[in-house]
Amino acid sequence: MEQIDELLERINKEFMAEGIPHIQRSFLALSKLSIMLNKSIQFGSEESDYVHDWFSKRSKASSLCIGSLFEAAYYYDAEFWSVKIPIVFGTVNLGAFDALSDMPEINKEIIAQDRKQSWRYALFWADCVDFGYGLSDLSSQKSDSFGMQLLNAGFEELQSATSALLSQKPNKRAIMSLRMASEMFMKSYLALKGHLDEKGARKLSHNLDDALKEVVEVSGQRFPNEVFQLVKLFPSIHERYAEQQASNKDIAHCYDFALSLGALVIREATDRNIQAQVLGNNL
């Protein structure tokens, strides 16, 4: 392992210079090490365990508690439920219902037995998986393009909404964060496709209808009519200082819409597309 030690020392110095948080280092190091050694390092292998132990001895204790890569809020039975996409190493089988970590098994069984509910959840979960892992892929590329700046801004707004909805009493102001997330994701899509610059973004302003029309035109995809109706659920940007009155059900629709836009951007910018497998299975 002497060669690995030398490489890990070099990698860790890079992480220190870049300010990479301790919790991310062993995961990112495995990726870098695989490239340096020109071999795939599987999670659970002797090499991956060695790398984890190596960083454990050099990391803040609390940073070693590896949690989820991405968390979303799924609406079911009048409640918002946490959907957690795990950090994984190597090749693993992801279970859609495993992501609903705090939902009772009986509720999962009810969803699974209902074709409409299971289909809705499968698509939601696919968006979570593609968005979570895809954003991680893009973040490792250290791009500061305008499109990536917008994507990251949209992610921050989505995170804010998630936290607000998963609190004991969901905060209705989450809908404004979801509005901003949707705007950022649509502008990010257009920018990454080469159809929007900073000047164009200012001209587009906060008009979600116009942004959606441009996304439809640039993508060449057919969007269901319901998608255009969803935009109308968002409050006007001028209402951002007012108390929000939207129902939790409408907020959930807005959340699903924002997440789907984020996933759309990711699928365009990366090769992540578990949604294609879900659609292929035709639940």
Side-chain angles (χ1 to χ4, degrees):
M1 294 292 182
E2 184 176 345
Q3 180 188 12
I4 291 182
D5 280 337
E6 293 177 359
L7 293 176
L8 289 178
E9 289 287 359
R10 188 197 313 174
I11 291 171
N12 197 40
K13 286 181 180 178
E14 293 177 7
F15 289 165
M16 292 172 68
E18 296 170 8
I20 302 297
H22 288 194
I23 191 173
Q24 299 177 15
R25 292 190 183 183
S26 62
F27 175 73
L28 295 176
L30 281 174
S31 177
K32 283 181 170 288
L33 202 59
S34 295
I35 295 173
M36 291 177 170
L37 297 176
N38 194 29
K39 62 179 289 189
S40 175
I41 300 178
Q42 298 295 322
F43 179 63
S45 66
E46 182 181 356
E47 291 96 337
S48 72
D49 289 343
Y50 185 83
V51 170
H52 179 70
D53 289 340
W54 193 94
F55 278 97
S56 294
K57 297 173 182 176
R58 295 161 176 79
S59 300
K60 183 179 178 181
S62 60
S63 72
L64 301 177
C65 300
I66 299 177
S68 57
L69 180 70
F70 175 70
E71 183 177 28
Y74 181 71
Y75 189 70
Y76 170 74
D77 189 23
E79 295 283 349
F80 286 98
W81 305 84
S82 171
V83 174
K84 295 181 178 180
I85 304 305
I87 296 173
V88 298
F89 298 91
T91 302
V92 298
N93 292 320
L94 295 176
F97 286 104
D98 291 338
L100 289 164
S101 57
D102 62 346
M103 178 180 282
E105 290 299 320
I106 189 170
N107 295 69
K108 297 179 186 179
E109 292 173 6
I110 292 173
I111 294 175
Q113 293 169 8
D114 185 303
R115 182 177 178 81
K116 184 177 180 180
Q117 286 285 355
S118 62
W119 178 246
R120 174 177 172 260
Y121 175 67
L123 292 177
F124 183 92
W125 174 78
D127 282 344
C128 290
V129 172
D130 288 341
F131 185 80
Y133 291 125
L135 187 64
S136 178
D137 293 342
L138 292 175
S139 296
S140 66
Q141 297 176 14
K142 304 293 183 181
S143 171
D144 62 349
S145 68
F146 183 50
M148 275 303 302
Q149 291 176 33
L150 290 167
L151 178 60
N152 288 327
F155 173 53
E156 290 177 357
E157 294 289 352
L158 186 63
Q159 276 188 309
S160 177
T162 301
S163 297
L165 296 176
L166 292 179
S167 62
Q168 189 169 11
K169 182 180 180 181
N171 189 333
K172 292 183 181 296
R173 291 204 62 78
I175 197 169
M176 290 306 302
S177 295
L178 293 170
R179 189 190 199 286
M180 291 303 299
S182 299
E183 177 186 331
M184 294 300 104
F185 287 148
M186 286 191 283
K187 288 180 176 178
S188 173
Y189 181 85
L190 295 171
L192 291 173
K193 294 283 286 184
H195 287 263
L196 188 75
D197 55 17
E198 294 187 45
K199 182 179 179 180
R202 288 193 294 271
K203 182 179 180 181
L204 194 56
S205 188
H206 302 292
N207 193 315
L208 298 184
D209 288 294
D210 288 350
L212 181 58
K213 289 176 184 176
E214 288 200 33
V215 168
V216 171
E217 181 178 353
V218 171
S219 70
Q221 300 181 28
R222 294 185 60 184
F223 284 58
N225 291 331
E226 303 88 76
V227 172
F228 295 92
Q229 297 303 314
L230 284 175
V231 175
K232 302 183 186 304
L233 294 178
F234 288 104
S236 165
I237 191 66
H238 303 296
E239 298 176 42
R240 59 186 180 276
Y241 300 121
E243 181 180 3
Q244 300 303 316
Q245 302 292 340
S247 68
N248 284 346
K249 187 175 182 179
D250 282 348
I251 294 175
H253 286 313
C254 291
Y255 190 100
D256 294 358
F257 176 71
L259 175 62
S260 69
L261 289 173
L264 175 69
V265 179
I266 292 298
R267 294 179 189 121
E268 180 63 34
T270 72
D271 60 356
R272 297 282 181 178
N273 195 351
I274 199 170
Q275 184 198 59
Q277 299 178 37
V278 172
L279 293 173
N281 291 336
N282 193 21
L283 297 178

